Amino acid sequence: MQLVAGMLEQGGYQVLTAEGAPRALELLERHTGKLALLLTDVIMPGLRGPELAELAWAKSRDLPVLFISGFADPAGFPGAFHQRRIGFLPKPFEHEALLRKVEQMLRK
């Protein structure tokens, strides 16, 4: 995750990082400002990315979520996800592809 955070910071974005879903949930609960985007891997130990997104949407209904994965296909996400602002970026990806996708998600 540090590599992805570094890519985003080089692109001019302010990034909050969390090692794993439990830490991400803590950050979501404590953060008082408006988050622009949640970027999460689909497959993680414990809580999976889609489950993390559901919990994040409980706090911020309009939060866009960008899923990254080398394994998952977004077509396999539950139907309710397709009513949300979600994106998908397959791994591996290049720096420019990540920045383009993030920009696209923020413009929606």
Side-chain angles (χ1 to χ4, degrees), residues 19-106:
E19 290 294 325
R23 180 73 177 118
L25 289 172
E26 286 178 26
L27 281 174
L28 287 169
E29 286 300 316
R30 289 194 334 222
H31 187 69
T32 57
K34 183 171 177 11
L35 295 173
L37 177 73
L38 171 65
L39 188 149
T40 181
D41 206 321
V42 173
I43 309 286
M44 299 184 291
L47 199 62
R48 295 181 63 236
E51 295 165 327
L52 175 61
E54 288 283 358
L55 293 169
W57 287 326
K59 180 176 177 172
S60 179
R61 292 177 40 101
D62 298 327
L63 181 66
V65 177
L66 176 57
F67 292 102
I68 59 174
S69 181
F71 304 103
D73 177 354
F77 290 166
F81 273 61
H82 299 290
Q83 299 168 10
R84 300 279 189 170
R85 291 177 50 198
I86 66 167
F88 181 77
L89 185 62
K91 292 186 210 176
F93 51 81
E94 295 183 3
H95 184 197
E96 295 79 20
L98 173 65
L99 294 179
R100 276 193 308 272
K101 191 64 175 183
V102 167
E103 289 170 14
Q104 175 190 12
M105 293 293 301
L106 295 176

